[in-house]
Amino acid sequence: MSVRARTRFAPSPTGDLHIGGVRTAIFSWLLARHTGGEFYLRVEDTDQERYVPGATRRILEAFDWLGLTLDGGPDHDELRAMRTNEDYPGALDDGEYKGIPGPFVQSHRLHLYKQWAEWLVAHGYAYRANETPEELQRMRAEAQARKQTFIFREEMRLRTDVRADEPHVIRMRVLPRSGRTEFDDLIKGRLSFDNAQVDDQVLLKMDGFPTYHLAVVVDDHLQGVTHVLRGDDWLPSAPKHVLLYRYFGWPEPQWAHVPNVLGTDGKKLSKRHGAQSVFEFRDQGYIPEALINFLALLGWAPGGGDEQNVFTREELIAKFSMEGIGSSPAVFDYNKLDWLNGVHIRRLPAEDLAARLVPFLARAGILVDTPEQRARLLRIVPHVQERIKKLTDAAPLVDFFFSDIHPPPAEMLVGPKMDRLQSLEALRETRRVVAEVEPFEDALLEQALRALCQALGLKPTQLFTVVRNAVTGKSVTPPLFATMAILGRKTCLIRLDRAIARLQSGM
Ligand code: GLU
């Protein structure tokens, strides 16, 4: 086993968790679990303008649903102390931090960022500046007019006598001015950036909040992060962070910039391709076991010629390694996700699947409340389990078990290559058989109805189509005899009688 990794997921509470971000969280979680280390959540709420009330609570809910267990993160008190009360019932209680120092919400750590920004000023690695947004805008426009990227440098300050007690920002001093900043990335290999292209980034803003760049370095260091996994859109910021570690004299974590996720058309994954947030996937009937499996395989493979595609959480933890993460973008294939979801649904114990189906059935207007209804669902589940890819697929297959059906139109009651009279006779004979079969079980029903086919000179598909349509009102259902046995003799007889009446009246 490699060294124990301490990893974190550090979302900004600006909305629901995007599936690409969750994939990075899963890699971080797997690395921590594989090495027996820790995984924690840090809320990066330093951009007060983009803050979305309730976003943190929903991140915690998404983690709970996915089963991404945390060793540290904001507890109830800390969540309640956020700008909008973000408490969540499943949040951590006190003392569950496995040695990771909190707080875990960046707006509760402002004193630390201030302290370390001042340290940088005192040691010559940062300076004070107070250009107004308008002045900066003008400088940016001038650079643009010269077709240059705007890179702020100390020499460009409009006022050099900025005092500590007046409003100002603190900017990092990129040093040395020329030369390169180099570092190793576990996924991208050795990377090298030209210092002349690295901005004298604002570290502490006028409002006393840090920018992401200062906060991420201070927190990752103080909280003992060993591996920084994040999307490779952060790569341009990495040299700033590397320089800050070097200024502070802190050991650098291992860097791992994870390639983007693309749609099957090769474009960056977006709304156009389908669901985006974890909750959209949940509401569309995907189960967390499948989503985790699928997302882990987006850019990671077990290697060593292992072609396995279906993994439990435990198998992923056992097999995960950083070497298995590829350096090219991963493609999000919704068909593969559907397939994996079906596979994981089939692996669920019937009671578990039944419980997960209940809210989806309710959404389709099928209430499974009483013990009798629950027992009925449990009998149905093994027959639909093989046929569904998503939890939403079940409702149309089972609704006729729970509520009365509209008697099907006469055309639907006429079997293939049959006429009305033949179909009517078939239904009448079926009614007789159904009234007599004892006990009312699928094997006996099958025997009796197959014998009836012979007697009537019908092919099984002919008779069974008529009967299926009559008792369920549908052409696609779970297996017919099991369906009839679960519906029960009384319901089958009522529906057969109605079908007979319907065919008769149309004659
Ligand atoms: N707060 C950053 C984000 O929202 C975190 C990036 C990182 O993991 O360092 O993506």
Side-chain angles (χ1 to χ4, degrees), residues 26 35 52 62 72 74 89 124 136 239 244 246 248 267 294 297 312 328 331 351 376 424 426 455 475 493:
I26 290 172
T35 59
V52 172
L136 288 169
L244 287 174
R246 293 178 187 171
F248 285 129
K267 305 229 169 73
F294 174 75
L297 292 181
T312 61
S328 41
V331 174
E351 304 81 61
R376 175 172 284 202
L424 185 59
S475 46
L493 287 177

Side-chain angles (χ1 to χ4, degrees), residues 136-393:
L136 288 169
Q137 190 44 44
R138 209 173 48 238
M139 293 160 119
R140 199 165 287 122
E142 282 165 15
Q144 246 163 24
R146 290 193 304 274
K147 299 214 173 345
Q148 285 171 346
T149 338
F150 178 59
I151 309 259
F152 195 92
R153 284 284 178 264
E154 196 175 359
E155 306 76 73
M156 294 158 70
R157 282 187 304 173
L158 301 172
R159 291 166 291 279
T160 51
D161 55 348
V162 188
R163 290 195 325 266
D165 60 355
E166 62 182 333
H168 65 278
V169 302
I170 292 181
R171 284 182 181 270
M172 76 183 281
R173 191 177 266 135
V174 172
L175 291 172
R177 291 304 210 201
S178 55
R180 305 188 74 83
T181 298
E182 301 199 342
F183 59 93
D184 290 311
D185 184 284
L186 288 176
I187 298 170
K188 310 265 172 186
R190 183 103 186 131
L191 295 168
S192 170
F193 291 82
D194 181 0
N195 283 4
Q197 300 303 317
V198 183
D199 195 34
D200 276 6
Q201 175 70 51
V202 173
L203 299 178
L204 201 67
K205 299 183 276 188
M206 295 239 187
D207 61 4
F209 275 76
T211 56
Y212 160 69
H213 309 282
L214 176 65
V216 74
V217 169
V218 168
D219 290 348
D220 283 347
H221 171 69
L222 295 182
Q223 296 180 322
V225 169
T226 58
H227 294 70
V228 171
L229 277 77
R230 59 183 174 194
D232 65 3
D233 36 342
W234 288 111
L235 215 43
S237 302
K240 297 173 190 173
H241 305 166
V242 168
L243 285 175
L244 287 174
Y245 274 96
R246 293 178 187 171
Y247 296 166
F248 285 129
W250 293 340
E252 280 170 55
Q254 303 249 33
W255 303 100
H257 289 87
V258 182
N260 248 311
V261 182
L262 306 178
T264 36
D265 55 2
K267 305 229 169 73
K268 202 172 170 215
L269 199 65
S270 73
K271 273 263 163 263
R272 253 178 331 108
H273 296 101
Q276 291 289 286
S277 85
V278 174
F279 294 123
E280 281 178 277
F281 284 98
R282 181 189 63 182
D283 297 344
Q284 289 181 5
Y286 294 97
I287 62 172
E289 290 86 342
L291 200 56
I292 291 220
N293 184 168
F294 174 75
L295 291 174
L297 292 181
L298 268 188
W300 173 81
D306 190 340
E307 299 277 305
Q308 185 178 348
N309 265 306
V310 183
F311 295 91
T312 61
R313 279 193 184 79
E314 292 66 33
E315 286 169 328
L316 286 171
I317 291 172
K319 298 211 170 179
F320 187 78
S321 76
M322 289 303 291
E323 294 79 52
I325 301 182
S327 57
S328 41
V331 174
F332 196 109
D333 179 353
Y334 285 83
N335 291 328
K336 181 170 177 186
L337 173 59
D338 284 3
W339 170 75
L340 267 179
N341 206 54
V343 172
H344 281 281
I345 282 181
R346 287 195 283 287
R347 290 178 158 200
L348 296 177
E351 304 81 61
D352 186 353
L353 178 55
R356 296 192 206 205
L357 285 175
V358 169
F360 285 88
L361 297 178
R363 230 169 61 183
I366 305 164
L367 295 181
V368 183
D369 288 334
T370 63
E372 192 265 324
Q373 288 167 329
R374 276 200 291 276
R376 175 172 284 202
L377 180 59
L378 211 51
R379 282 184 75 192
I380 298 166
V381 157
H383 303 292
V384 295
Q385 190 156 19
E386 298 295 320
R387 291 174 155 69
I388 60 174
K389 284 193 176 142
K390 296 191 260 178
L391 298 177
T392 41
D393 295 341

